[in-house]
Amino acid sequence: MNKNNIYNLAVSGVQKLIPYTPGKPIEELERELGLTQIIKLASNENPLGPGKKALAAIQATLKDLALYPDGNGFNLKRALADKYAVEMGQITLGNGSNEILELVARAFLTPDLEVVFSQHAFAVYPLVTQAVGATAVVAPALNYGHDLNAMLQRVTEKTRLVFIANPNNPTGTLLSHADLESFIGALPATCVCVLDEAYCEFVGDNSADISIGWLNLFPNLLITRTFSKAYGLAGLRIGYGLSSPELADILNRVRQPFNNNMLALAAAEAALSDTEHLQNTIAVNTQGMQLITDGFKKLGLEWIPSAGNFVLVDLKQPAMPIYEALLRKGVIVRPVGVYELPNHLRITIGTAAENELFLQALTEVLSGHV
Ligand SMILES: *Cc1c(COP(=O)(O)O)cnc(C)c1O
């Protein structure tokens, strides 16, 4: 058999699927260019790293690694239930919140159903939709953000899922609670709404609590969150979903029995109680956002105001050559051409020192000193 024919055996959505491109790893750039001083501001990771409590919990757990983890994640679920005043049965733990996005697609979609999301929305939504052969219906963005009216207009009896990221990645745009609540309320009962709040900790106006109140109103609402961003545990892969117990029960049926590893469960539980680390993280982000956007202003560049820990800058010229010139200076940022934003770069807010190095490198690149 011709080895290419194996492709024809894959389900049709997978045949056409283009895999997600992650931010460039530091080691890869080291190998390619032989650079040593590399900073990565490409994947919205926490520049402070994990907190002390999470690290101590990981240390204390190492001795148990021969055992399977708790497949129900009891301790972490209890900590989350206490923190957010929900029932443990409303929580789904995932191998990153990405896994929750995949579980909901697998549990609810078939090839004859549709999924509505916005232009410039998180790249994983089209991927999980296509992998199960469902049809993606993309609503045009409004000022780079979600146009909820345009999305609602595209919801039909075939629409089984709607994805919304708030704040959105990569644009950093934020919807108001009032607009979101009326949008979710206007969805038909046949449509599940996934509200992806990967960056809610950075928003600051009790945002992380308000949407949870909607769980009592909307049995078709799934809120997803993660320990990868504000909590600094991206490498461990742990996130969670909050929903009605019924929706959580459905997701639980399709997940792997041990989808969360033992170190991740222990670290996430400890991280939840580390309010000091979270506050430091938010303070570093607020200061860094100011520094970087001040730098853009000095360079005469426009940016999209962001509610997350990253910012999209408009270079008004193709971004790839600038991205590559920055790489040669040891600075990894994120091109967003796959999001239909070929002239923008997404910059994760780093430490003060990293932000300075990035601005210095960008200044040199834009003035032609490449
Ligand atoms: C980073 C991110 C996620 C998922 O991250 P995990 O590491 O899988 O938890 C989900 N949604 C958005 C919008 C993100 O930016």
Side-chain angles (χ1 to χ4, degrees):
M1 169 174 138
N2 179 327
K3 69 179 176 1
N4 282 325
N5 289 346
I6 195 83
Y7 286 107
N8 301 331
L9 306 181
V11 296
S12 69
V14 174
Q15 285 186 32
K16 285 172 253 146
L17 205 132
I18 301 166
Y20 180 81
T21 318
K24 199 176 191 59
I26 289 177
E27 296 77 25
E28 189 177 303
L29 189 61
E30 273 171 0
R31 278 197 304 274
E32 285 173 4
L33 297 183
L35 295 171
T36 48
Q37 283 279 324
I38 292 174
I39 59 169
K40 183 184 177 207
L41 302 174
S43 301
N44 304 342
E45 294 141 332
N46 187 327
L48 301 181
K52 283 200 216 66
K53 288 192 176 186
L55 290 173
I58 291 168
Q59 276 295 340
T61 308
L62 290 174
K63 64 179 182 349
D64 299 326
L65 285 181
L67 305 175
Y68 278 98
D70 174 5
N72 289 317
F74 182 88
N75 290 333
L76 176 57
K77 281 188 187 168
R78 191 175 50 189
L80 285 165
D82 284 350
K83 185 172 167 76
Y84 292 119
V86 295
E87 299 294 322
M88 286 173 63
Q90 295 182 265
I91 302 168
T92 307
L93 301 179
N95 198 263
S97 58
N98 252 303
E99 190 191 17
I100 310 280
L101 303 176
E102 210 174 287
L103 293 179
V104 72
R106 206 137 54 82
F108 285 95
L109 296 177
T110 59
D112 53 338
L113 293 171
E114 296 181 355
V115 180
V116 172
F117 51 83
S118 174
Q119 181 189 21
H120 312 316
F122 188 43
V124 167
Y125 310 154
L127 288 182
V128 298
T129 301
Q130 202 180 326
V132 294
T135 301
V137 177
V138 182
L142 179 67
N143 300 325
Y144 296 104
H146 292 72
D147 182 341
L148 293 178
N149 290 327
M151 290 180 72
L152 206 51
Q153 277 165 19
R154 285 161 177 78
V155 171
T156 69
E157 70 280 1
K158 280 186 170 176
T159 311
R160 184 57 47 86
L161 281 186
V162 168
F163 285 108
I164 297 181
N166 198 50
N168 183 44
N169 172 17
T171 57
T173 50
L174 185 73
L175 294 160
S176 77
H177 288 113
D179 288 350
L180 260 178
E181 185 175 349
S182 47
F183 173 83
I184 301 166
L187 289 174
T190 47
C191 180
V192 170
C193 180
V194 181
L195 180 58
D196 179 345
E197 297 190 323
Y199 301 96
C200 66
E201 294 86 0
F202 294 104
V203 177
D205 56 348
N206 294 331
S207 193
D209 297 319
I210 292 173
S211 54
I212 288 175
W214 301 337
L215 293 173
N216 295 326
L217 305 174
F218 308 122
N220 56 340
L221 173 62
L222 172 64
I223 297 171
T224 63
R225 296 186 178 179
T226 182
F227 287 94
S228 298
K229 309 286 163 52
Y231 289 100
L233 297 174
L236 282 179
R237 313 304 305 126
I238 185 142
Y240 57 100
L242 302 170
S243 65
S244 61
E246 293 75 19
L247 211 166
D249 174 40
I250 291 168
L251 299 181
N252 189 46
R253 295 176 191 197
V254 290
R255 77 174 174 90
Q256 283 185 43
F258 301 106
N259 61 331
N260 302 114
N261 75 76
M262 190 185 279
L263 299 180
L265 290 169
E269 183 192 350
L272 264 191
S273 68
D274 197 344
T275 42
E276 191 186 337
H277 186 60
L278 185 62
Q279 279 163 8
N280 287 342
T281 298
I282 292 166
V284 163
N285 188 59
T286 306
Q287 289 155 20
M289 185 69 80
Q290 190 65 50
L291 186 98
I292 285 192
T293 52
D294 283 350
F296 290 158
K297 197 184 278 175
K298 279 192 203 126
L299 288 167
L301 296 171
E302 287 173 22
W303 67 93
I304 302 170
S306 171
N309 64 342
F310 54 88
V311 59
L312 261 195
V313 61
D314 186 356
L315 299 167
K316 312 264 185 204
Q317 60 178 304
M320 281 313 277
I322 309 284
Y323 164 72
E324 281 156 11
L326 286 169
L327 282 184
R328 290 192 289 274
K329 291 181 175 291
V331 177
I332 311 174
V333 296
R334 190 62 158 268
V336 282
V338 292
Y339 290 99
E340 301 179 351
L341 296 163
N343 292 349
H344 288 75
L345 286 176
R346 192 191 68 196
I347 321 299
T348 301
I349 307 304
T351 60
E354 289 171 331
N355 298 333
E356 299 279 10
L357 278 170
F358 157 71
L359 284 174
Q360 180 62 34
L362 182 66
T363 306
E364 290 169 10
V365 166
L366 290 177
S367 64
H369 298 156
V370 294

